[in-house]
Amino acid sequence: MKRIAHLAIPAALMTSISLSVLPLPVLAQFNLSQWQGVGDVDGRRERIERTITEATTAGRLTAQQAEPLRRELERINQQETAFKADGKLTFFERMRLVVDLDQLSRQIESQMAERTVASPNVSLRAQEISQQIDEGVASGRLTRLEGDTFSQELARIKARESAFREDGDFSSNEQLTISLDLDHLSKSVQAQLRAPAIAGPSLMTRQAELERKINDLVTGGRLTIKEAEPLRQELNRIRAREAAFKAQDGVLDNEETLTLMLDLERLASHLDRYSPSVTATVPGIDARQEELQRQILEAIRTGRVTQQQAIELRNEFDRIAQAETSFRADGTLSDNETLALARDLDALQKHIESIVPTTVSLPGIDSRMKEVGKRLSEKEASGRLPYAAAQSLRANLARIEEKARFFKSDGVLNDSETLTLAGDLDALMKEIDKSLAPLPDVSSRHQDLQKRINESMASGRLSPAEAEGLRAELQRAKDLEATFRSSEGGLSEQEIVAMNREFDHISSRLDRVLTPLPDLKAREEHILHQLNQGITAGTISPEKASELKEEYDRIADLHKSFSQSDNNLSEWETMSISRDLAHLEEHLKRALAAPPRIDTSGAPRDTQGHWAQPYIATLSKRGTIGGFPDGTFLPDDQITRAQFAAIAVRALNLPPAGRPANFKDVPAKYWGAPAIAAVSDAGLVTGFPDGTFRPEDKITRAQALVILAKALQSATGSSEALDRYKDGASVPAWALPSVRKAAQAGIIVNYPDPTSIRPNDMATRAEVAALTYQTMSNLGEKLPSIRVGLEASGK
């Protein structure tokens, strides 16, 4: 049978034509490119059968799991056989099978366990996944970006396989690794695949057509009223079923649409038995196409259609030719297919007649001026014409209108005046077109935004929840675009502008929620400054300093390498370096916070290994405390009040008293008299009511804390400060304010239980050394931070 080539338009005309998508005529409105992408029923069935067998063999599916899956596959096979009873699969029957196979494939994927043995043929598995990706992109079930991402991952897996095979030995473990990678990729592809869109005549149109056909058959005497009644009841049943579907959520999903379309097809087939054969009465489809092709080319040659109208006619013609090619896939045209093509060609004929004028006429000047003014307003409202440019163009239009009024002053326009005004308006129209900002590419904007969202999420600047919300906005914009296209087949200028505003809104929202990119240079300088300070102060050991400096240099070199590759840093590169710097900052922070090693050399011999050794060693070197002539310190011995007074004078740098100690039991020649006088003069001790100091009495922990707390410059402590200690209630009332103050300042030390105060226990020499050390540190003395036995020091 003779084939009709796609309609060709002269090259000179095509250079200035931009393609626009028009709605397909009724019954030829199938998405044919998607049909080719998802309609390979036999190939899908074989892949699923192979998957079940391979998964069962590998232990990923149990026999109990595999059995219902095989039964479902057999049911689909039987359904296909039933569909083919009339010799071929219709579009909707094929789509019904595709939807069922998709559901089965997802069910298998969800039930399969992680494999433990390698796939028997990883090359075949990779080929199948590649085919799935290609079909998904071709059918629109995957975006181009998603397809490219999956293809890149597949290429990475293949490269890994090639690396494994380089030594000539592809081990079982390596084969299992590749198999697992392919499994995960296949699962990702399946999860991302969208349901196939079903484009076709509306249900309402098809129902109306069948109702009309029943009436025509009754009127023509081919059906009796009695024979027509069950057919009308079946049509009403289908309508009721549609209403029931819509009652649930107001819309029809793919499966419901397919169910209704198949019901209508079965009813149409039943009606065909009463219809006369159309093969002999319908004009030849090829001849009709040739005639319409001639009319379109003649209209283009004679200039009776605009460039846009020419491309619209070409698109309609090519769609009908493509639908015919699909219908002839089985070698013949059925009566229904012939009628569908004939109706489409009739619609195209009417379209040609509606836009091709029989004579060429020049529109009136007044109409032209109104048209130009309307175009100016529309373009300015759409944002494509800047305000200043619109004002200038309106001034030009006003001058033309003034010229027209002058020409009409004698009542008429002669030919010369009409041509002059027409030329001015043509020039102004060209000036308007020249001033217009180009229409944005909404498809590119959608892809760019999708890419930005993916990259920002991968770099950590966008949380998964925020990314999900933005993707939902993008999908809503995509749905709006689909709605626009469904009405006219393409996007009008106003619709493109509206879509662009939607994308502007999403882009602005993305900018608002994105975490600002960090200032890497400032952060690096801050880290280096802290590191150098720590090294200079000796806070960081040389070994740790070398380790941190090595990591800093590595990050700085990486930063330099990224910057030199394309004179800029990508978002991912910036956030990657920022994360490395954050880890380095954390290590540096721990190094700076770690207490330095206390030099305990020279400490009294009986303090080696003692819990208070760091306190005693440090204070001994400063001369704050001292040991005994035999080289011992006796850390666990109790301490007298006179000994504690001597330690307090040196620790707190108290000045000598200007008078002797005013206690009747402290003689002037007593060894501790000067120290007792100094602490008394400083207001740290008051003695007892009977005027004694009792210098040889042992001091309790509460008494020591009362004396040291008086030296603290902080305010009185809160009652909550003692809540952290389990024996806070045992503090005597006379010592309670001072002990609270000591707890608030964090100078209380107790070993081995840091949650006890033990206020009434006698203080040991080691405990006094620790309490004194923490008091000195609290008062600003430059002492290493020690946490041995310390609870809540804050130092």
Side-chain angles (χ1 to χ4, degrees):
M1 181 173 290
K2 182 179 178 181
R3 311 305 311 135
I4 301 297
H6 284 194
L7 183 62
I9 293 179
L13 179 61
M14 284 302 296
T15 55
S16 59
I17 293 177
S18 60
L19 294 178
S20 64
V21 181
L22 295 176
L24 288 173
V26 174
L27 285 182
Q29 205 171 13
F30 304 140
N31 190 334
L32 297 174
S33 63
Q34 187 182 82
W35 187 332
Q36 296 164 358
V38 301
D40 183 11
V41 175
D42 293 338
R44 283 166 174 264
R45 187 178 60 249
E46 290 173 2
R47 283 204 302 269
I48 290 175
E49 188 171 11
R50 190 162 51 247
T51 299
I52 295 174
T53 301
E54 195 271 336
T56 305
T57 304
R60 302 182 67 196
L61 285 175
T62 65
Q64 291 79 7
Q65 291 174 316
E67 183 58 29
L69 298 174
R70 287 196 174 96
R71 286 200 301 269
E72 176 61 12
L73 183 60
E74 178 58 29
R75 184 196 67 77
I76 297 172
N77 290 343
Q78 293 172 358
Q79 187 177 40
E80 180 182 1
T81 302
F83 284 158
K84 287 181 176 179
D86 59 355
K88 61 182 294 185
L89 288 177
T90 67
F91 171 77
F92 292 107
E93 289 171 340
R94 188 179 297 274
M95 291 304 296
R96 169 78 269 173
L97 295 171
V98 166
V99 169
D100 288 349
L101 288 170
D102 274 355
Q103 291 176 345
L104 178 57
S105 182
R106 285 192 293 272
Q107 185 180 357
I108 293 170
E109 196 70 49
S110 66
Q111 293 187 24
M112 283 196 298
E114 186 88 352
R115 73 167 59 248
T116 56
V117 296
S119 174
N121 192 335
V122 293
S123 297
L124 177 60
R125 184 81 171 116
Q127 183 180 351
E128 289 180 347
I129 294 174
S130 178
Q131 186 178 355
Q132 289 175 359
I133 296 170
D134 292 342
E135 288 179 356
V137 174
S139 64
R141 303 177 68 197
L142 290 175
T143 66
R144 175 62 60 184
L145 178 60
E146 291 168 341
D148 290 344
T149 302
F150 288 138
S151 295
Q152 289 171 6
E153 176 61 14
L154 181 58
R156 185 193 67 77
I157 296 171
K158 288 180 178 179
R160 191 177 187 187
E161 179 189 354
S162 298
F164 284 155
R165 294 181 184 271
E166 281 183 354
D167 59 358
D169 179 24
F170 192 30
S171 68
S172 58
N173 283 339
E174 293 171 339
Q175 191 171 357
L176 176 59
T177 299
I178 298 300
S179 299
L180 288 170
D181 286 350
L182 291 171
D183 286 345
H184 296 157
L185 177 57
S186 178
K187 196 167 189 177
S188 299
V189 173
Q190 288 289 340
Q192 199 68 22
L193 281 174
R194 298 164 184 80
I198 301 172
S202 69
L203 289 166
M204 184 179 298
T205 301
R206 187 63 168 147
Q207 289 166 3
E209 179 186 342
L210 293 179
E211 185 173 32
R212 187 167 54 251
K213 191 170 184 178
I214 293 172
N215 293 334
D216 290 344
L217 289 171
V218 173
T219 304
R222 295 185 175 276
L223 271 178
T224 66
I225 294 177
K226 185 176 181 180
E227 290 172 331
E229 184 58 28
L231 299 175
R232 289 194 175 99
Q233 289 177 359
E234 175 62 12
L235 183 58
N236 290 333
R237 184 195 66 79
I238 296 171
R239 286 171 172 162
R241 194 175 191 184
E242 178 185 2
F245 285 155
K246 288 184 176 178
Q248 298 175 10
D249 54 11
V251 295
L252 296 176
D253 58 25
N254 276 356
E255 189 164 348
E256 293 167 343
T257 301
L258 282 171
T259 299
L260 294 171
M261 279 299 186
L262 288 171
D263 286 348
L264 290 170
E265 279 195 356
R266 282 191 287 269
L267 178 57
S269 298
H270 191 73
L271 289 175
D272 286 344
R273 291 184 298 174
Y274 299 95
S275 301
S277 176
V278 298
T279 305
T281 59
V282 176
I285 297 299
D286 291 343
R288 291 288 307 282
Q289 286 177 301
E290 289 177 352
E291 173 59 22
L292 290 176
Q293 183 180 39
R294 185 194 63 76
Q295 292 181 24
I296 294 171
L297 291 175
E298 179 65 17
I300 294 171
R301 186 185 64 80
T302 59
R304 289 188 293 162
V305 291
T306 64
Q307 295 172 349
Q308 183 62 31
Q309 289 169 336
I311 199 62
E312 289 174 359
L313 294 173
R314 173 182 180 265
N315 281 344
E316 291 189 39
F317 182 90
D318 286 349
R319 283 196 189 90
I320 297 172
Q322 188 179 18
E324 182 195 2
T325 300
S326 177
F327 287 159
R328 293 185 188 271
D330 60 351
T332 61
L333 288 177
S334 68
D335 287 351
N336 282 340
E337 291 168 339
T338 303
L339 282 171
L341 292 173
R343 281 192 294 267
D344 292 345
L345 291 170
D346 286 342
L348 178 56
Q349 179 74 60
K350 290 178 182 178
H351 190 184
I352 295 172
E353 293 171 354
S354 68
I355 65 174
V356 178
T358 56
T359 60
V360 180
S361 61
L362 189 67
I365 292 301
D366 290 340
S367 298
R368 288 287 307 280
M369 286 191 291
K370 288 181 181 179
E371 180 186 344
V372 173
K374 181 181 178 182
R375 184 170 175 79
L376 268 171
S377 299
E378 288 176 350
K379 300 308 178 187
E380 186 179 11
S382 70
R384 293 188 64 199
L385 196 60
Y387 175 78
Q391 293 301 100
S392 175
L393 292 167
R394 281 200 176 89
N396 288 343
L397 178 59
R399 284 193 291 270
I400 297 172
E401 290 171 342
E402 181 61 32
K403 185 186 291 188
R405 283 192 291 271
F406 175 75
F407 286 160
K408 289 180 181 179
S409 59
D410 59 356
V412 296
L413 288 176
N414 59 35
D415 290 345
S416 177
E417 291 168 340
T418 301
L419 287 174
T420 299
L421 292 173
D424 290 346
L425 289 170
D426 285 342
L428 180 56
M429 190 66 83
K430 290 179 181 178
E431 192 174 348
I432 293 173
D433 292 339
K434 189 176 180 180
S435 302
L436 291 177
L439 282 171
D441 183 351
V442 293
S443 296
S444 297
R445 290 217 64 189
H446 180 273
Q447 292 174 1
D448 290 343
L449 281 171
Q450 194 171 50
K451 182 179 179 182
R452 279 190 65 195
I453 292 170
N454 292 339
E455 289 179 348
S456 298
M457 185 176 173
S459 68
R461 294 183 68 198
L462 199 62
S463 70
E466 291 168 336
E468 187 62 29
L470 290 165
R471 288 194 181 108
E473 287 290 314
L474 267 183
Q475 185 57 48
R476 186 182 65 78
K478 200 67 176 173
D479 293 341
L480 177 62
E481 180 184 355
T483 302
F484 286 156
R485 292 187 184 276
S486 66
S487 60
E488 297 293 338
L491 295 179
S492 67
E493 180 177 326
Q494 290 78 10
E495 290 168 342
I496 291 175
V497 171
M499 288 297 305
N500 194 51
R501 290 198 183 109
E502 289 291 323
F503 290 135
D504 284 342
H505 168 74
I506 297 171
S507 181
S508 298
R509 182 182 169 191
L510 175 58
D511 291 337
R512 287 196 303 271
V513 300
L514 278 180
T515 304
L517 285 172
D519 185 346
L520 297 180
K521 185 176 181 181
R523 199 168 184 181
E524 289 173 353
E525 291 175 351
H526 175 69
I527 290 174
L528 186 60
H529 176 70
Q530 282 191 314
L531 179 58
N532 289 334
Q533 274 193 330
I535 294 172
T536 303
T539 310
I540 303 176
S541 66
E543 297 82 4
K544 191 64 177 178
S546 176
E547 176 187 336
L548 294 172
K549 187 64 169 62
E550 183 179 347
E551 176 62 8
Y552 174 85
D553 290 339
R554 183 193 68 78
I555 297 172
D557 289 342
L558 183 62
H559 186 179
K560 183 177 179 181
S561 174
F562 282 160
S563 299
Q564 289 177 343
S565 62
D566 53 5
N567 296 322
N568 197 7
L569 286 178
S570 69
E571 181 178 311
W572 179 88
E573 291 169 340
T574 301
M575 296 305 293
S576 177
I577 294 173
S578 178
R579 284 192 290 271
D580 286 351
L581 288 173
H583 293 154
L584 178 57
E585 278 185 310
E586 187 63 30
H587 291 314
L588 178 58
K589 182 179 178 181
R590 288 199 295 268
L592 291 171
R597 295 180 181 177
I598 305 299
D599 183 9
T600 58
S601 61
R605 66 173 181 269
D606 59 346
T607 65
Q608 297 296 322
H610 195 277
W611 67 266
Q613 181 183 7
Y615 295 113
I616 298 169
T618 303
L619 294 182
S620 294
K621 289 184 179 180
R622 291 171 63 96
T624 305
I625 61 175
F628 295 96
D630 63 355
T632 62
F633 184 79
L634 304 179
D636 295 320
D637 280 8
Q638 298 172 357
I639 192 169
T640 66
R641 287 167 56 80
Q643 290 171 336
F644 184 78
I647 293 173
V649 168
R650 291 191 293 270
L652 304 177
N653 294 318
L654 298 179
R659 55 183 175 77
N662 189 22
F663 298 103
K664 60 186 180 182
D665 59 347
V666 180
K669 293 184 179 181
Y670 182 69
W671 70 269
I676 294 171
V679 295
S680 176
D681 200 38
L684 300 183
V685 296
T686 57
F688 294 93
D690 61 357
T692 63
F693 184 78
R694 302 176 190 175
E696 297 302 321
D697 282 3
K698 300 297 189 286
I699 193 169
T700 66
R701 285 173 57 84
Q703 290 171 337
L705 288 171
V706 168
I707 295 172
L708 292 174
K710 288 180 180 180
L712 297 175
Q713 298 174 357
S714 60
T716 57
S718 64
S719 58
E720 290 80 7
L722 291 183
D723 292 344
R724 294 171 294 174
Y725 297 96
K726 59 187 180 184
D727 59 350
S730 65
V731 177
W734 58 268
L736 193 58
S738 296
V739 176
R740 284 176 179 168
K741 187 176 179 181
Q744 187 80 31
I747 69 169
I748 298 178
V749 181
N750 186 42
Y751 183 87
D753 182 6
T755 63
S756 297
I757 301 175
R758 295 191 290 110
N760 301 311
D761 288 3
M762 294 299 172
T764 66
R765 289 170 56 80
E767 290 172 341
V768 167
L771 294 173
T772 302
Y773 189 102
Q774 294 302 329
T775 303
M776 293 170 65
S777 179
N778 181 274
L779 293 174
E781 292 286 341
K782 293 183 179 180
L783 294 170
S785 175
I786 302 176
R787 292 183 179 272
V788 176
L790 176 64
E791 197 275 335
S793 169
K795 294 290 183 180

